[in-house]
Amino acid sequence: MKSRIPKTVGVVAHTGKPDARKRLLELLAVLGKLKLSVLLERDAAGLAGKPKLAATIKEIGRQADLLIVLGGDGTILRVARDLDGSTTPILGVNLGNLGFLTSVRGDKLRDPVRAVLRGDYDVSNRQTLQTALIRGGRRKEAHRALNDVVISRGAFSRIVRLRLFIDGELLTEYVCDGMIFATATGSTAYSLSAGGPILVPTARALIITPICPHALSNRSVIAGDNSVIRCQVASAAAELLLTVDGQVQLRMEVGDEVEVRQSPQNVQLVTPKQHSYFQVLREKLKWSGANV
């Protein structure tokens, strides 16, 4: 996607972060000097004391050329969901440690944000997943995920049996604690902690990672981006939950199916030109090479 110079900028802030107001006012000062049109998500407008600039995230998605998110990876996941398919590019400013989805540090936001507003940035086109909970042959609910869709047990440690189908063909029946369906973007989230592979974020694939499988030969499976995955709950002795991006949670029953496929809607993440995904990977996973 070709970089463009934004004229209208939307801003969302995680108002619960300690430095949220300070960084929000700093960002607004930068935007004000450039005489850009600004829309503030309602919580951010309240925090900044500018109610006249307030708008919903959907309204920002329709009107803004760029959306700047002050928070962390979780805030970006929420915003990506609330945009409801809008392809407005998102620039993440982290109000803590650098994340995998945020690309600018909050305490050093001025220069990178100015560079982005000059059009000096790259856009990373991220695949999302469309998931549906099916009960009794009917689609009960549908949601979109940027990171992952997870089937997991509740508070009790009881195993579950999950039948997995890829494009209508049975792969196997897992005896496990749950299942993770992740995008390349989500490969460094829950799937990684469960032993899944790391994919570069622009890869088009669907990662299937069992959680604590009882057969040691069960490993992650990488399906094609056009594959349709169905996972059926064959048996469960305790509560099961379906979680989308760690934020939307649905209760599941024996016999329920979860369908996961690539969504036609992508998320556009903005990164400054000097940003390096591999450097973030090294820092976050503490890769430093051999200690010789």
Side-chain angles (χ1 to χ4, degrees), residues 129 145-150 180-183 186 189-191 243-246:
L129 300 178
L146 174 57
N147 259 3
D148 50 37
V149 176
V150 179
I180 304 165
F181 308 95
T183 61
Y190 194 0
S191 178
T243 307
V244 182
D245 274 345

Side-chain angles (χ1 to χ4, degrees), residues 86-283:
S86 169
T87 57
T88 303
I90 299 172
L91 173 65
V93 178
N94 203 303
L95 299 184
N97 296 321
L98 196 62
F100 282 109
L101 300 179
T102 54
S103 56
V104 174
R105 289 177 58 101
D107 57 352
K108 298 179 180 178
L109 69 82
R110 289 176 182 268
D111 289 343
V113 167
R114 287 193 187 106
V116 168
L117 296 174
R118 291 194 303 266
D120 189 18
Y121 62 88
D122 294 317
V123 176
S124 179
N125 189 33
R126 302 297 181 91
Q127 171 194 21
T128 64
L129 300 178
Q130 184 69 38
T131 185
L133 175 61
I134 301 170
R135 181 170 297 160
R138 295 184 177 181
R139 291 174 181 263
K140 185 174 175 62
E141 289 200 38
H143 294 277
R144 192 166 62 108
L146 174 57
N147 259 3
D148 50 37
V149 176
V150 179
I151 299 173
S152 61
R153 54 179 174 74
F156 297 100
S157 298
R158 304 286 180 86
I159 62 171
V160 299
R161 292 182 180 273
L162 301 174
R163 293 194 189 103
L164 192 72
F165 298 83
I166 300 179
D167 295 329
E169 183 176 351
L170 176 67
L171 175 64
T172 190
E173 181 174 293
Y174 291 89
V175 179
C176 56
D177 285 355
M179 193 72 64
I180 304 165
F181 308 95
T183 61
T185 299
S187 69
T188 50
Y190 194 0
S191 178
L192 180 62
S193 68
I198 296 173
L199 273 62
V200 294
T202 52
R204 313 294 289 186
L206 201 164
I207 306 166
I208 306 164
T209 302
I211 303 171
C212 298
H214 284 230
L216 295 178
S217 59
N218 287 151
R219 292 290 184 266
S220 293
V221 174
I222 299 178
D225 59 344
N226 291 320
S227 295
V228 178
I229 312 299
R230 282 211 173 201
C231 188
Q232 183 185 62
V233 181
S235 68
E239 180 185 53
L240 272 185
L241 300 172
L242 177 66
T243 307
V244 182
D245 274 345
Q247 300 183 356
V248 176
Q249 198 170 77
L250 309 171
R251 294 185 183 277
M252 297 186 67
E253 301 174 359
V254 174
D256 283 357
E257 290 186 342
V258 174
E259 181 184 273
V260 182
R261 64 174 73 209
Q262 179 178 235
S263 169
Q265 300 166 338
N266 295 323
V267 172
Q268 313 285 343
L269 293 184
V270 170
T271 59
K273 287 286 188 182
Q274 70 274 17
H275 178 76
S276 168
Y277 172 77
F278 295 121
Q279 181 178 345
V280 173
L281 200 62
R282 290 192 300 271
E283 291 177 3

